[in-house]
Amino acid sequence: MKKFSFEVTKRCKQTGARLGVLKTPHGDIHTPVYMPVGTAATVKAMTPRELKEIGAEIILSNTYHLHLRPGEDLIKEAGGLHRFMGWDRPILTDSGGFQVFSLSDIRKVKEEGVAFQSHLDGSRRFISPEVSMDIQHALGADIMMAFDVCTAYPCTHDEAEDAMERTHRWAERCKAHHADGGQVLFGIVQGAFFEDLRVKSAKALTDMDFFGYGIGGLSVGEPKPVMYDMLETIMPHMPEEKPRYLMGVGSPDCLIEGVLRGVDMFDCVLATRIARNGTCFTSGGRVVIKNAKYARDFGPLDEECDCYTCRNFSRAYIRHLFKAGEITGARLASIHNLRFLLRLMENVRQAILEDRLMDFRNEFFSKYDMTKNF
RNA sequence: GGAUGGGUUCCCGAGUGGCCAAAGGGAGCAGACUGUAAAUCUGCCGUCGCAGACUUCGAUGGUUCGAAUCCAUCCCCAUCCA
């Protein structure tokens, strides 16, 4: 479709990291980009207006969850996901593939597809590549993801290979079933933590020619260096002119390390989840704001942050809200954590533009206490 | 002044002879969290500590091998009656 395009506009001379623009009918996305996650058609605790204010260019939602509730038919009737949730910028929908992994206790994978038991009411559901495509068509997100099989860490080579081969077959089925309308489809590279499989998967997916490529099956509990190694293994085999999306990452350090290794897109629930649980990103490292030591700390969460929370409220106040169980605590922390990552990526893009991403990285880590990381 | 019911570890509240350092909840403290079964979950929560030891159930004195639990006296509290 003409309405969609991706272009790498610049490479950092210092690191080779990419700057790009992904154009969609709902607006342009400047990469490298962090995408806030709104699984159930809402980024938890955030309104679309607030998301815009902090600079979110695209958000994520989820096929499995919306299929169960309220159902894709209802969302289609509402005019599609954008209108339903009042968000007019781009949306990416995950395929339900990650739920094959995260709901492993209540699902069965077969060649045809995956039989889930709804985590809401136990009812039996079946999602195949075709069903996932149908649901995602009905939802109408700009970017759709192929239905894949995500494996755990650790897993055997055989398990990883089976999951990968199935992911490839399913990717073919997704592509065949995808209606080339106002949406584009990403394939997903699997292969767990085996270099031969990752290379094979990258090549196989590239041959299928998707609009973009997810890198799945990482950040599932492995040490970070292992993930970084896998990225370095995969990247030389990814097409240069297509967007690369590292699924489910990350933490501030992982975002930077990912960009350095050629990643264009990220999403992660971490920012919003830990925000609701009383933990915040700061330029100095993680701050568990509900801890007693902040009871009389009347300074901002992060001196360097420009977000609404940091401009107007103290650590002591935010801690108080958490201790009191007030919903505003979760909201203020969510606003901050998301703005922290979005601003980090703004800075990353600026650094790439100025060919100094490695300098930026080193400066970031000189301040960021990794012993207080995730 | 009389009647009745009570006083348990920070709070509420179980416990009526040994299995009680004492259920459960709350509060408090800490930890976890990476394509969201998460405003969730886990741990600690008398003191010192490895085992274990020591102090505690309004106060004091008894009974008993053994008491938060039984008896006596006293001190408080609540409600009702005068």
mmCIF file of all heavy atoms in Angstrom, chain A residues 57-80:
data_model
loop_
_atom_site.group_PDB
_atom_site.id
_atom_site.type_symbol
_atom_site.label_atom_id
_atom_site.label_comp_id
_atom_site.label_asym_id
_atom_site.label_seq_id
_atom_site.Cartn_x
_atom_site.Cartn_y
_atom_site.Cartn_z
ATOM 1 N N GLU A 57 3.975 8.152 19.644
ATOM 2 C CA GLU A 57 3.609 8.204 18.226
ATOM 3 C C GLU A 57 2.828 6.977 17.785
ATOM 4 O O GLU A 57 2.192 6.981 16.730
ATOM 5 C CB GLU A 57 4.868 8.337 17.360
ATOM 6 C CG GLU A 57 5.562 9.672 17.541
ATOM 7 C CD GLU A 57 6.659 9.906 16.518
ATOM 8 O OE1 GLU A 57 7.365 8.926 16.179
ATOM 9 O OE2 GLU A 57 6.811 11.038 16.073
ATOM 10 N N ILE A 58 2.928 5.917 18.553
ATOM 11 C CA ILE A 58 2.212 4.677 18.226
ATOM 12 C C ILE A 58 2.064 3.878 19.507
ATOM 13 O O ILE A 58 2.928 3.937 20.386
ATOM 14 C CB ILE A 58 2.982 3.858 17.165
ATOM 15 C CG1 ILE A 58 2.331 2.476 16.960
ATOM 16 C CG2 ILE A 58 4.467 3.710 17.531
ATOM 17 C CD1 ILE A 58 2.939 1.647 15.824
ATOM 18 N N ILE A 59 0.972 3.183 19.625
ATOM 19 C CA ILE A 59 0.779 2.306 20.778
ATOM 20 C C ILE A 59 0.407 0.911 20.298
ATOM 21 O O ILE A 59 0.071 0.693 19.135
ATOM 22 C CB ILE A 59 -0.316 2.819 21.735
ATOM 23 C CG1 ILE A 59 -1.661 2.879 21.005
ATOM 24 C CG2 ILE A 59 0.073 4.182 22.298
ATOM 25 C CD1 ILE A 59 -2.821 3.161 21.932
ATOM 26 N N LEU A 60 0.472 -0.012 21.237
ATOM 27 C CA LEU A 60 0.214 -1.423 20.965
ATOM 28 C C LEU A 60 -1.113 -1.831 21.568
ATOM 29 O O LEU A 60 -1.522 -1.298 22.588
ATOM 30 C CB LEU A 60 1.311 -2.217 21.680
ATOM 31 C CG LEU A 60 1.804 -3.485 21.046
ATOM 32 C CD1 LEU A 60 2.767 -3.086 19.955
ATOM 33 C CD2 LEU A 60 2.536 -4.340 22.072
ATOM 34 N N SER A 61 -1.760 -2.797 20.940
ATOM 35 C CA SER A 61 -2.886 -3.436 21.608
ATOM 36 C C SER A 61 -2.841 -4.931 21.293
ATOM 37 O O SER A 61 -1.938 -5.370 20.588
ATOM 38 C CB SER A 61 -4.207 -2.812 21.169
ATOM 39 O OG SER A 61 -5.178 -3.057 22.169
ATOM 40 N N ASN A 62 -3.794 -5.669 21.830
ATOM 41 C CA ASN A 62 -3.636 -7.121 21.774
ATOM 42 C C ASN A 62 -4.844 -7.871 21.215
ATOM 43 O O ASN A 62 -5.973 -7.701 21.657
ATOM 44 C CB ASN A 62 -3.309 -7.652 23.171
ATOM 45 C CG ASN A 62 -2.943 -9.124 23.148
ATOM 46 O OD1 ASN A 62 -3.813 -9.979 23.052
ATOM 47 N ND2 ASN A 62 -1.656 -9.413 23.227
ATOM 48 N N THR A 63 -4.564 -8.724 20.258
ATOM 49 C CA THR A 63 -5.581 -9.515 19.579
ATOM 50 C C THR A 63 -6.324 -10.450 20.524
ATOM 51 O O THR A 63 -7.552 -10.475 20.544
ATOM 52 C CB THR A 63 -4.902 -10.365 18.473
ATOM 53 O OG1 THR A 63 -4.325 -9.480 17.522
ATOM 54 C CG2 THR A 63 -5.892 -11.288 17.806
ATOM 55 N N TYR A 64 -5.573 -11.207 21.290
ATOM 56 C CA TYR A 64 -6.170 -12.192 22.198
ATOM 57 C C TYR A 64 -7.116 -11.524 23.191
ATOM 58 O O TYR A 64 -8.266 -11.942 23.358
ATOM 59 C CB TYR A 64 -5.055 -12.955 22.930
ATOM 60 C CG TYR A 64 -5.519 -13.769 24.112
ATOM 61 C CD1 TYR A 64 -6.040 -15.051 23.948
ATOM 62 C CD2 TYR A 64 -5.426 -13.263 25.414
ATOM 63 C CE1 TYR A 64 -6.466 -15.791 25.038
ATOM 64 C CE2 TYR A 64 -5.851 -13.996 26.503
ATOM 65 C CZ TYR A 64 -6.370 -15.256 26.315
ATOM 66 O OH TYR A 64 -6.794 -15.993 27.396
ATOM 67 N N HIS A 65 -6.626 -10.488 23.841
ATOM 68 C CA HIS A 65 -7.428 -9.831 24.880
ATOM 69 C C HIS A 65 -8.688 -9.175 24.306
ATOM 70 O O HIS A 65 -9.767 -9.292 24.890
ATOM 71 C CB HIS A 65 -6.582 -8.800 25.624
ATOM 72 C CG HIS A 65 -5.443 -9.412 26.388
ATOM 73 N ND1 HIS A 65 -5.529 -9.728 27.730
ATOM 74 C CD2 HIS A 65 -4.212 -9.790 25.989
ATOM 75 C CE1 HIS A 65 -4.380 -10.278 28.127
ATOM 76 N NE2 HIS A 65 -3.562 -10.319 27.095
ATOM 77 N N LEU A 66 -8.547 -8.509 23.181
ATOM 78 C CA LEU A 66 -9.703 -7.822 22.620
ATOM 79 C C LEU A 66 -10.695 -8.807 22.001
ATOM 80 O O LEU A 66 -11.897 -8.547 21.954
ATOM 81 C CB LEU A 66 -9.249 -6.797 21.574
ATOM 82 C CG LEU A 66 -8.430 -5.640 22.157
ATOM 83 C CD1 LEU A 66 -8.011 -4.679 21.062
ATOM 84 C CD2 LEU A 66 -9.202 -4.909 23.249
ATOM 85 N N HIS A 67 -10.177 -9.934 21.548
ATOM 86 C CA HIS A 67 -11.052 -10.988 21.030
ATOM 87 C C HIS A 67 -11.958 -11.495 22.151
ATOM 88 O O HIS A 67 -13.152 -11.694 21.964
ATOM 89 C CB HIS A 67 -10.202 -12.125 20.462
ATOM 90 C CG HIS A 67 -10.973 -13.351 20.097
ATOM 91 N ND1 HIS A 67 -11.941 -13.356 19.112
ATOM 92 C CD2 HIS A 67 -10.928 -14.622 20.588
ATOM 93 C CE1 HIS A 67 -12.458 -14.579 19.017
ATOM 94 N NE2 HIS A 67 -11.866 -15.354 19.899
ATOM 95 N N LEU A 68 -11.359 -11.700 23.334
ATOM 96 C CA LEU A 68 -12.141 -12.192 24.475
ATOM 97 C C LEU A 68 -13.100 -11.124 24.985
ATOM 98 O O LEU A 68 -14.227 -11.420 25.385
ATOM 99 C CB LEU A 68 -11.211 -12.588 25.624
ATOM 100 C CG LEU A 68 -10.290 -13.794 25.442
ATOM 101 C CD1 LEU A 68 -9.583 -14.090 26.760
ATOM 102 C CD2 LEU A 68 -11.073 -15.024 24.984
ATOM 103 N N ARG A 69 -12.634 -9.886 24.990
ATOM 104 C CA ARG A 69 -13.439 -8.806 25.562
ATOM 105 C C ARG A 69 -12.966 -7.483 25.028
ATOM 106 O O ARG A 69 -11.797 -7.171 25.253
ATOM 107 C CB ARG A 69 -13.324 -8.855 27.109
ATOM 108 C CG ARG A 69 -14.208 -7.881 27.838
ATOM 109 C CD ARG A 69 -14.201 -8.118 29.336
ATOM 110 N NE ARG A 69 -12.868 -8.020 29.918
ATOM 111 C CZ ARG A 69 -12.562 -8.390 31.175
ATOM 112 N NH1 ARG A 69 -13.474 -8.904 31.948
ATOM 113 N NH2 ARG A 69 -11.336 -8.240 31.620
ATOM 114 N N PRO A 70 -13.750 -6.732 24.323
ATOM 115 C CA PRO A 70 -15.210 -6.903 24.125
ATOM 116 C C PRO A 70 -15.569 -7.718 22.893
ATOM 117 O O PRO A 70 -16.749 -7.947 22.638
ATOM 118 C CB PRO A 70 -15.669 -5.461 23.934
ATOM 119 C CG PRO A 70 -14.540 -4.828 23.182
ATOM 120 C CD PRO A 70 -13.286 -5.451 23.761
ATOM 121 N N GLY A 71 -14.581 -8.205 22.150
ATOM 122 C CA GLY A 71 -14.841 -8.917 20.904
ATOM 123 C C GLY A 71 -14.600 -8.000 19.725
ATOM 124 O O GLY A 71 -14.945 -6.828 19.743
ATOM 125 N N GLU A 72 -13.959 -8.553 18.695
ATOM 126 C CA GLU A 72 -13.588 -7.731 17.542
ATOM 127 C C GLU A 72 -14.789 -7.213 16.761
ATOM 128 O O GLU A 72 -14.729 -6.158 16.131
ATOM 129 C CB GLU A 72 -12.641 -8.506 16.613
ATOM 130 C CG GLU A 72 -13.226 -9.765 15.983
ATOM 131 C CD GLU A 72 -13.077 -10.988 16.881
ATOM 132 O OE1 GLU A 72 -12.830 -10.829 18.095
ATOM 133 O OE2 GLU A 72 -13.206 -12.119 16.360
ATOM 134 N N ASP A 73 -15.918 -7.952 16.834
ATOM 135 C CA ASP A 73 -17.113 -7.501 16.124
ATOM 136 C C ASP A 73 -17.602 -6.168 16.682
ATOM 137 O O ASP A 73 -17.975 -5.260 15.934
ATOM 138 C CB ASP A 73 -18.240 -8.552 16.244
ATOM 139 C CG ASP A 73 -17.901 -9.827 15.478
ATOM 140 O OD1 ASP A 73 -16.927 -9.799 14.679
ATOM 141 O OD2 ASP A 73 -18.590 -10.841 15.685
ATOM 142 N N LEU A 74 -17.587 -6.095 18.002
ATOM 143 C CA LEU A 74 -18.049 -4.863 18.646
ATOM 144 C C LEU A 74 -17.138 -3.689 18.287
ATOM 145 O O LEU A 74 -17.598 -2.578 18.004
ATOM 146 C CB LEU A 74 -18.086 -5.063 20.168
ATOM 147 C CG LEU A 74 -18.669 -3.926 21.006
ATOM 148 C CD1 LEU A 74 -19.353 -4.481 22.241
ATOM 149 C CD2 LEU A 74 -17.578 -2.926 21.418
ATOM 150 N N ILE A 75 -15.839 -3.970 18.259
ATOM 151 C CA ILE A 75 -14.890 -2.902 17.944
ATOM 152 C C ILE A 75 -15.036 -2.462 16.490
ATOM 153 O O ILE A 75 -14.980 -1.276 16.174
ATOM 154 C CB ILE A 75 -13.448 -3.366 18.255
ATOM 155 C CG1 ILE A 75 -13.277 -3.482 19.772
ATOM 156 C CG2 ILE A 75 -12.430 -2.397 17.652
ATOM 157 C CD1 ILE A 75 -11.948 -4.043 20.222
ATOM 158 N N LYS A 76 -15.278 -3.440 15.637
ATOM 159 C CA LYS A 76 -15.504 -3.105 14.230
ATOM 160 C C LYS A 76 -16.758 -2.244 14.080
ATOM 161 O O LYS A 76 -16.791 -1.255 13.343
ATOM 162 C CB LYS A 76 -15.642 -4.394 13.407
ATOM 163 C CG LYS A 76 -15.721 -4.137 11.903
ATOM 164 C CD LYS A 76 -15.622 -5.432 11.115
ATOM 165 C CE LYS A 76 -15.534 -5.126 9.620
ATOM 166 N NZ LYS A 76 -15.373 -6.363 8.827
ATOM 167 N N GLU A 77 -17.795 -2.637 14.816
ATOM 168 C CA GLU A 77 -19.051 -1.896 14.797
ATOM 169 C C GLU A 77 -18.842 -0.457 15.295
ATOM 170 O O GLU A 77 -19.507 0.480 14.845
ATOM 171 C CB GLU A 77 -20.064 -2.629 15.682
ATOM 172 C CG GLU A 77 -21.477 -2.111 15.609
ATOM 173 C CD GLU A 77 -22.395 -2.861 16.595
ATOM 174 O OE1 GLU A 77 -22.171 -4.074 16.836
ATOM 175 O OE2 GLU A 77 -23.316 -2.220 17.131
ATOM 176 N N ALA A 78 -17.919 -0.311 16.230
ATOM 177 C CA ALA A 78 -17.629 1.013 16.787
ATOM 178 C C ALA A 78 -16.848 1.881 15.808
ATOM 179 O O ALA A 78 -16.629 3.066 16.059
ATOM 180 C CB ALA A 78 -16.844 0.864 18.090
ATOM 181 N N GLY A 79 -16.411 1.262 14.723
ATOM 182 C CA GLY A 79 -15.666 2.030 13.727
ATOM 183 C C GLY A 79 -14.191 1.710 13.724
ATOM 184 O O GLY A 79 -13.380 2.448 13.155
ATOM 185 N N GLY A 80 -13.844 0.620 14.392
ATOM 186 C CA GLY A 80 -12.445 0.215 14.446
ATOM 187 C C GLY A 80 -11.797 0.641 15.755
ATOM 188 O O GLY A 80 -12.345 1.433 16.522
#
